[in-house]
Amino acid sequence: ETVAMTSQSQPLLAEEAVGGTSKYGRLAIVQISFAVALGALAVSVVLEGIWNGAAAVVDPLAMLAAIYVFILFCLQVWFLEWPSPDIRVFSLLFASLATFAGPTALKLAGENWLPSFWPGVSWILSMAFVVSAYLLMVRGPKCSVASGSLSGRISIISGCNTGIGYETAKALAEAGSTVVFACRSEEKARSAMEQLRQEAPSVQQEQLKFMTLDLSSLGSVQNFAEEFIRSGLDLHLLIMNAGVMLSSRTITDDGLDGTMAANHFGHFLLADLLMPRLREAEAHGQEPRIVVVGSTTSLLQERFDFSEVLVHEKSGREAALAKPYSLMRSYGQSKLANLLFVRELARRLETSGSKIPVNCVHPGQVLTEVHRDMHSALVLLTKLFHYPAQLFIKTPRQGSFGTLHVATAPSLATTSGLFLACHRELPMPEAACDEDAARRLWMLSEVAVGIAGDIEQSP
């Protein structure tokens, strides 16, 4: 049934113009421009060396290393993996370019003090740059959960039949946790559960449970919560992992924007319905946690656009579907909604006297199926270049390290309202720090999902 907004709720949905480039987007452009200038300088030096007969000092391996670090740097900065300049990343970029072009520059300057064994040193340095860049910028810090450390704990993970969610489920199950696969497709979920048991023989069958959850359907979320509560299971860890990137605008049966429904509204309702279970665990000293998987695309949003999350009556759907649509903007807005939700939920829990931590984690650029709803050509390219792409983009297992850290690190047991990536705190975008916007989105979300609000509201 379509959810319709009351007249008193209409001000929540007032049109808001959102445009321009965020400060993080501008900073990324500056960083890439600097890298391009350095790269152009290095190439110009080498070309001049070739023109003047100094090409013999150009090391092919050093050239390949410099190209790898340069491309990796530009890709990661463009996708806001490093929202603020990082001295380690810039050092790798500068050192690799210097190793590539430096010997030629010295020869052009008439300096010949490089030792005879320099080619060997250059090879070692080049390999070190490639390995260091991969470990720092692609893999990132690892996170492992000790076997048996989660025995007796119950975890719910949305969308864990593949990708980051699957790797997270496997790691938690290997540590002893019972994991509820909250997924749309029972067939895919059970296939993933069987695969997990084959890859991790220590995991017992009774540790893995399936319950249907389609986050784009409010009815499905309600049914999932009812089934979970009827099961009598405790709840210690709620990981909101599932997310979509839709190639075109959709309106759900509940009258919600498709991207916002799956990435925000569904999880909002899920958290509300399961909050009593989490509070029970807290009351028994079991330290429950809530983890939301977000994205640095939220940093590109100047502010939250409430006109994009309209709750449509049937008569207004055609007009809504005819509105201009940008995939990345829609996805970024939904991820900004995640941050607003995390900060407001953390505030409300603290106000009500609860110490349940709720934090958001950016997993990095990961080779997952999140692009499955995008253009078929892009999906095909992703499959064709799957293995070469792993030199530049995380595998699902590497992408799960951040989620596991936020879900299990003792240092985050009572810390709430943070945005993290690579085991470090990221800057919170100004749009996510807008307390009025957070309260307004919360009120809108309550109306949209049809609840009065079970999480205590502060004055």
Side-chain angles (χ1 to χ4, degrees), residues 88-291:
R88 297 168 300 172
V89 174
F90 271 101
S91 296
L92 277 171
L93 175 66
F94 181 82
S96 62
L97 290 173
T99 303
F100 164 52
T104 303
L106 288 173
K107 189 168 185 180
L108 289 172
E111 300 289 339
N112 294 301
W113 49 265
L114 285 176
S116 59
F117 55 82
W118 170 254
V121 174
S122 177
W123 277 49
I124 293 173
L125 288 175
S126 298
M127 293 300 296
F129 296 148
V130 170
V131 172
S132 298
Y134 176 81
L135 294 178
L136 174 64
M137 303 168 71
V138 180
R139 191 201 72 179
K142 296 180 69 174
C143 180
S144 58
V145 189
S147 177
S149 62
L150 299 180
S151 295
R153 295 179 70 82
I154 313 297
S155 306
I156 292 177
I157 308 176
S158 64
C160 61
N161 60 284
T162 187
I164 298 171
Y166 172 79
E167 295 295 341
T168 303
K170 183 166 72 171
L172 296 180
E174 287 181 307
S177 175
T178 295
V179 179
V180 177
F181 280 61
C183 308
R184 285 185 297 179
S185 169
E186 180 173 359
E187 180 183 357
K188 291 182 179 179
R190 295 200 179 280
S191 175
M193 291 160 66
E194 182 62 30
Q195 178 184 342
L196 192 156
R197 291 197 62 221
Q198 292 176 0
E199 295 176 353
S202 63
V203 175
Q204 303 300 309
Q205 185 172 354
E206 58 269 19
Q207 285 183 249
L208 308 179
K209 302 181 182 298
F210 166 76
M211 295 184 189
T212 303
L213 175 62
D214 180 356
L215 288 162
S216 65
S217 167
L218 299 180
S220 176
V221 177
Q222 291 168 341
N223 291 337
F224 171 87
E226 291 171 2
E227 182 181 359
F228 181 81
I229 291 171
R230 284 197 306 269
S231 72
L233 293 170
D234 294 328
L235 179 57
H236 306 100
L237 187 55
L238 176 58
I239 299 180
M240 302 178 181
N241 167 80
V244 299
M245 295 180 73
L246 301 179
S247 58
S248 61
R249 188 186 300 279
T250 62
I251 303 297
T252 69
D253 291 341
D254 300 298
L256 303 172
D257 173 83
T259 300
M260 198 65 67
N263 293 356
H264 167 66
F265 285 120
H267 280 137
F268 177 90
L269 177 58
L270 183 66
D272 180 86
L273 296 174
L274 295 179
M275 189 55 63
R277 275 286 191 267
L278 291 165
R279 286 185 179 275
E280 288 176 15
E282 183 184 29
H284 289 91
Q286 296 172 337
E287 298 185 343
R289 302 189 192 196
I290 300 174
V291 180

Side-chain angles (χ1 to χ4, degrees), residues 8 13 46 56-57 70 114 154 185-186 300 313 320 332 334 386:
Q8 291 92 339
L13 301 173
V46 171
V57 298
F70 176 81
L114 285 176
I154 313 297
S185 169
E186 180 173 359
L300 293 173
E313 296 184 0
S334 72
H386 179 81

